[in-house]
Amino acid sequence: MTLGQLNTWVRAHPSLSPILAAVEKRDDDAAHDLSHLFRVAMWTLKLGKEAIDPTEAVAAALLHDLVNVPKDHPDRAKASEYSARDAMPILRKAGFSPDSSDRICEAIRDHSFSRGATPCSELGKSLQDAD
């Protein structure tokens, strides 16, 4: 799948539209802009192959940098925890089930190397490698 195809698929997918709307509002970090989020989504899908749900993979990738903590801030290692926390209401509003929301938020929380965690799920491992 190309980035253009992924962009078209995401914009046509009803449960991903609210997520895309939430992340498009962010413009505080050029290194983690929409292009970065789509590249991470594409690679999460490629790395996860059929072991992960594509909608969950894209949702996790789009939301993985929801909260940006500056690199020199003492809470930098908690950025993925904050992103997972803030992703939950967006996922619920988008219609993701509680189980699906939990899987996505776990992957977001555990994907960060800065946090020092090793992802347990295929989704988390794919997201970490993609990012």
Side-chain angles (χ1 to χ4, degrees):
M1 177 179 295
T2 67
L3 283 172
Q5 291 168 327
L6 178 60
N7 192 331
T8 300
W9 183 78
V10 167
R11 293 179 188 282
H13 203 287
S15 63
L16 294 173
S17 296
I19 294 170
L20 186 58
V23 297
E24 283 180 324
K25 292 178 186 175
R26 296 177 53 245
D27 61 359
D28 59 338
D29 183 10
H32 298 102
D33 62 4
L34 197 56
S35 295
H36 167 72
L37 300 179
F38 270 95
R39 285 191 304 275
V40 171
M42 184 181 71
W43 281 106
T44 301
L45 288 168
K46 286 183 180 188
L47 293 166
K49 300 187 176 152
E50 55 280 332
I52 58 175
D53 177 273
T55 305
E56 290 182 10
V58 172
L62 290 176
L63 294 167
H64 83 278
D65 281 331
L66 194 58
V67 175
N68 178 36
V69 177
K71 297 278 185 200
D72 59 348
H73 193 280
D75 285 345
R76 175 64 187 154
K78 295 181 180 180
S80 64
E81 292 176 46
Y82 299 154
S83 292
R85 176 200 64 206
D86 289 3
M88 185 60 82
I90 296 169
L91 291 164
R92 300 310 304 270
K93 183 178 178 183
F96 283 83
S97 72
D99 287 344
S100 182
S101 297
D102 287 345
R103 282 191 298 273
I104 294 165
C105 288
E106 176 187 84
I108 292 169
R109 184 189 69 238
D110 291 345
H111 90 281
S112 174
F113 283 108
S114 300
R115 186 168 175 266
T118 301
C120 297
S121 69
E122 287 303 313
L123 177 56
K125 292 174 187 175
S126 299
L127 180 62
Q128 186 180 64
D129 287 349
D131 189 35

